[in-house]
Amino acid sequence: MKGIILAGGSGSRLYPITKGISKQLLPIYDKPMIYYPLSVLMLSNIKEVLIISNPEYIDFYKALLGDGSSLGMRFEYKIQEKPRGLADAFIVGEDFIGDDSVCLILGDNIFYGQGFVRKLLNASQIKEGAVIFGYYVPNPTEFGVVEFDKNYNVLSIEEKPDKPKSRYAVPGLYYYDNSVIELAKNLKFSTRGELEITDLNREYLNEGKLKVELLGRGFAWLDTGTYEGLANASNFVRTMQERTGLYISCLEEIAYRNKWITKKEMISLGREYEKTEYGKYLLSIAGEI
């Protein structure tokens, strides 16, 4: 399975903060925002990742993440010239995906919770169809909403419905088989001129091949689309790390525990940041301090 991070958009809801920088490069406490969705792909055991962004920001991502080799991974980069909807990621990334299945995650999504890795690994084993996630929210009219039966087969999926059929929102994390490319190509543009991910999911639903995995109590799905959301996400990460002594979405640690990099390579990465608490944490994981 391959992974795609969609890190485009104007970030206009965060102006003037994002007037000259991509939202997904903003800090969430001690890490750039894009580290958080990237860590989800890594925890799904995905080593090949495509980052899609606007032409004016793509070089910033290349400078930050490189080719992925320092993490035992491979990164590629593609430009989305203008916003054409989330489903456009599979058209932009067609050559990258090749004959593989694919996971799409939005670059501003932050997840945290016990048992999450198991759910990710289960979803990443998909051979046919699609897996989406459901997260209980008090205000479902503001989200895409999924309705499902006792076997977690999706019955309906609606975008910001006036009368929601459930209280489970669909976060920006999706696992698809390889047919997603052709399905995306055959989508019609919506009234707002985009290829909608909800319409793509409906194609799988119509074929009876759409499953939902629930993120229950104890899970956090954090919004970073507002000033308050950014501050709350940073405070959440800071609090959890201080209380547990374990870092959230530490890419180097995940790569090391996945055995994608050696202890020597881990120490080298820690030395790069040794003047920071982040670097000291990496060295402690490698047993150096």
Side-chain angles (χ1 to χ4, degrees), residues 224-245:
T224 60
T226 64
Y227 306 133
E228 294 81 6
L230 278 176
N232 290 338
S234 288
N235 288 335
F236 177 86
V237 172
R238 178 182 59 82
T239 299
M240 293 303 298
Q241 291 185 174
E242 287 181 355
R243 294 290 178 88
T244 65

Side-chain angles (χ1 to χ4, degrees), residues 247 252 266-284 288-289:
Y247 276 34
E252 297 85 355
M266 179 68 162
I267 292 170
S268 177
L269 291 170
R271 295 291 181 206
E272 184 179 350
Y273 305 128
E274 63 183 344
K275 293 183 178 179
T276 68
E277 293 301 314
Y278 190 90
K280 293 174 183 176
Y281 178 75
L282 297 183
L283 293 173
S284 71
E288 286 297 290
I289 57 174

